[in-house]
């Protein structure tokens, strides 16, 4: 069978045949369209409207609280019923502890690495690290935070999976 661009396997197999492959190849159109719509909405809010992340979180919480208040009180008054019981969302403590431990370990490793380079006697390594941090600061000033996150995500996927077009 002749595949496009002389490949030996279909693209779905190259993407490991996971749910992400179905989304990227639009095999599950509802999920793909939802992700595309959500991504475009977030991009418009942060890029065009200059929306800030924390204000978005707080306004989303306010909208959720108002909707829940109206649903539980006004809906009960209109239907002459008792207020409905709302499910309580409780996230496990271990989830946040594990995330904090992982992030803390990475930050501590990076800080220890910088401290070892700064306190060591290797002038060449010190200058290379300082120059690298300076270049990263200059490049970081050229792009906004969302673009840097996107580039980082692409780099990590390419490094882990050898997939460069995600």
């Amino acid at each position: 069978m002749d595949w496009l661009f002389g490949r030996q396997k279909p693209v779905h197999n190259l993407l490991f045949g996971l749910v992400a492959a179905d989304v990227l190849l639009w095999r599950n159109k509802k999920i793909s369209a939802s992700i595309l719509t959500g991504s475009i909405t977030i991009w418009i809010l942060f890029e065009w409207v200059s929306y800030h992340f924390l204000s978005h979180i707080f306004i989303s919480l306010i909208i959720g609280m108002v909707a829940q208040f109206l649903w539980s009180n006004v809906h009960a008054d209109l239907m002459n019923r008792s207020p409905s019981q709302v499910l309580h969302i409780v996230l496990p403590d271990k989830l946040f502890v594990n995330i904090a431990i992982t992030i803390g370990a990475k930050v501590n490793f990076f800080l220890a690495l910088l401290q070892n380079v700064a306190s060591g006697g290797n002038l060449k390594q010190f200058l290379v690290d300082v120059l690298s941090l300076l270049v990263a600061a200059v490049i970081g000033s050229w792009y906004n935070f969302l673009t840097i996150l996107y580039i980082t995500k692409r780099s990590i996927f390419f490094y882990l999976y050898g997939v460069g077009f995600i």
Side-chain angles (χ1 to χ4, degrees), residues 46 51-61:
F46 287 121
Y51 216 51
H52 297 283
F53 180 70
L54 284 178
S55 59
H56 175 69
I57 295 295
F58 294 143
I59 289 174
S60 298
L61 288 173

Side-chain angles (χ1 to χ4, degrees), residues 47 53 140 143-152:
E47 288 294 320
F53 180 70
Y143 301 103
N144 65 6
F145 185 66
L146 290 175
T147 305
I148 292 172
L149 282 178
Y150 177 72
I151 291 170
T152 304

Side-chain angles (χ1 to χ4, degrees), residues 15-16 20-21 24 150 153-155 157-158 161-166:
L15 295 174
F16 307 110
L24 287 173
Y150 177 72
K153 180 192 73 109
R154 281 186 58 130
S155 301
F157 274 145
F158 183 74
Y161 304 113
V163 178
F165 53 86
I166 294 178

Side-chain angles (χ1 to χ4, degrees), residues 67-105:
Q68 185 175 356
F69 177 80
L70 291 174
W71 180 259
S72 63
N73 291 323
V74 175
H75 179 69
D77 289 343
L78 290 176
M79 300 298 233
N80 293 328
R81 293 192 290 187
S82 63
S84 60
Q85 295 295 326
V86 179
L87 295 175
H88 294 282
I89 300 172
V90 178
L91 297 174
D93 293 336
K94 289 184 179 182
L95 172 71
F96 295 105
V97 170
N98 290 337
I99 291 172
I101 288 172
T102 303
I103 292 173

Side-chain angles (χ1 to χ4, degrees), residues 93-151:
D93 293 336
K94 289 184 179 182
L95 172 71
F96 295 105
V97 170
N98 290 337
I99 291 172
I101 288 172
T102 303
I103 292 173
K106 298 291 184 186
V107 169
N108 285 336
F109 174 76
F110 181 71
L111 291 175
L113 183 68
L114 289 179
Q115 186 176 13
N116 287 339
V117 170
S119 63
N122 191 349
L123 181 63
K124 182 180 177 184
Q125 183 68 38
F126 174 74
L127 291 176
V128 167
D129 287 353
V130 168
L131 184 64
S132 299
L133 290 172
L134 182 63
V135 167
V138 169
I139 291 173
S141 68
W142 293 345
Y143 301 103
N144 65 6
F145 185 66
L146 290 175
T147 305
I148 292 172
L149 282 178
Y150 177 72
I151 291 170

